Amino acid sequence: MALVTVVNGSPHTDGYTSELVARVVAGIEGAGASADVVPLRDYRIEPCVNTAGWPCWPDGPCSHVEDDTPLVKACVEAGDGLVIACPVYWSSINGLTKNFLDKMRLAGFAGKPALAITVAGGSGSGMVLALRALHGFFGWGWRPLAPLPVSRFNYEQALLEADARGREIAAAALAGPRPFASAAEQWRWEAALPYVDWRLLEEKLYLAGLVVENAPSAPETAREDWRQPAMLSTRRAVWPQPPAWKRLPMRLRRLMNGAAPYGVRPARPDR
């Protein structure tokens, strides 16, 4: 049976991130794989001290700091796939997750599927931008799946998507590693993923669409303004790179076509 390691980067035992992790695990197990949940809050992972010569790169353990990194690294390497779910602090991943990434180094990851989930529980800012740090790590040999950026404005839908993403990564783990044949193949794969090349403005516009459609206090006139062709052309004009713009309507089409809102979760600090 395939094993998917699910890293929970939240410092809290409950909250948005943990709820999403539970849904992902349900999807993984429902698809016939098993899940090993690794809550980083239960491990002591000290910051990287950048030892001269980087002696940790060949085998992983740090020669200057003794912590639980080898235990966590063993869990990651034992899995046939990897999920990293973490909260967003100041438009990036939180420090607990960053320490984890800095100490993982590279070994045994080639071609294994990986999924990134970022959770911005307040204003939603950083829900997309934080994906860059996780996909930067995935770029060292993992085969990433389409990520899942989450805010309280798309949370209900994200719970449904988390189950589906769990099933997707379980299927990929059961199929076995798929190493990239070349750097060009890897770049083409990553370029086809949604969100990962978005910049600040693209995230803000996407988030604005979610807020307008799902906030109970948003007047219907605001929703209508958001769907107007003039507004659509204005949004299109700010994207000088066609690939990013071509993917944005796939996520916004549901909003601009007047579909029923998903609902909004309350702001919570315990993500």
Side-chain angles (χ1 to χ4, degrees):
M1 178 182 292
L3 174 66
V4 178
T5 303
V6 183
V7 174
N8 183 348
S10 175
H12 302 285
T13 57
D14 57 6
Y16 289 162
T17 304
S18 294
E19 287 183 86
L20 287 160
V21 164
R23 291 296 184 96
V24 170
V25 169
I28 292 170
E29 295 176 343
S34 60
D36 177 21
V37 179
V38 180
L40 295 183
R41 61 181 172 272
D42 293 344
Y43 295 87
R44 186 172 69 90
I45 304 178
E46 298 295 330
C48 175
V49 295
N50 194 26
T51 305
W54 300 341
C56 58
W57 280 91
D59 53 9
C62 178
S63 59
H64 285 175
V65 179
E66 292 188 5
D67 59 11
D68 294 330
T69 295
L71 300 177
V72 178
K73 189 171 187 291
C75 294
V76 173
E77 292 185 332
D80 301 296
L82 175 66
V83 178
I84 302 178
C86 69
V88 174
Y89 296 169
W90 290 105
S91 294
S92 187
I93 61 176
N94 64 327
L96 187 59
T97 305
K98 184 62 168 65
N99 286 349
F100 157 74
L101 294 183
D102 287 346
K103 301 293 279 291
M104 279 302 95
R105 301 316 185 202
L106 315 173
F109 304 151
K112 293 181 180 180
L115 169 65
I117 302 175
T118 50
V119 187
S123 68
S125 294
M127 62 183 289
V128 174
L129 297 180
L131 291 169
R132 290 190 174 186
L134 299 182
H135 277 259
F137 173 69
F138 293 161
W140 292 95
W142 299 90
R143 185 176 285 269
L145 306 179
L148 180 58
V150 182
S151 74
R152 62 192 178 97
F153 302 106
N154 71 334
Y155 188 76
E156 299 300 330
Q157 177 64 14
L159 288 174
L160 299 177
E161 291 190 22
D163 183 274
R165 301 299 177 84
R167 293 177 179 274
E168 182 183 0
I169 195 167
L174 288 164
R178 296 173 55 199
F180 294 106
S182 64
E185 181 192 357
Q186 180 179 0
W187 295 338
R188 286 193 299 268
W189 177 273
E190 292 175 350
L193 296 174
Y195 307 116
V196 294
D197 65 348
W198 283 15
R199 293 162 296 174
L200 178 62
L201 181 57
E202 292 158 328
E203 178 192 77
K204 294 298 185 185
L205 290 173
Y206 174 58
L207 183 58
L210 294 177
V211 172
V212 167
E213 284 297 327
N214 296 320
S217 60
E220 183 58 31
T221 53
R223 296 191 176 102
E224 290 300 324
D225 288 344
W226 180 258
R227 302 178 192 127
Q228 290 301 316
M231 178 63 76
L232 180 63
S233 62
T234 300
R235 293 199 299 274
R236 181 183 295 113
V238 302
W239 274 277
Q241 299 178 355
W245 167 248
K246 288 180 181 178
R247 287 194 294 275
L248 185 65
M250 296 176 65
R251 298 289 301 168
L252 286 181
R253 190 173 298 128
R254 180 184 182 282
L255 305 179
M256 292 186 289
N257 287 343
Y262 294 132
V264 180
R265 284 294 185 97
R268 287 167 54 177
D270 57 337
R271 20 183 221 286

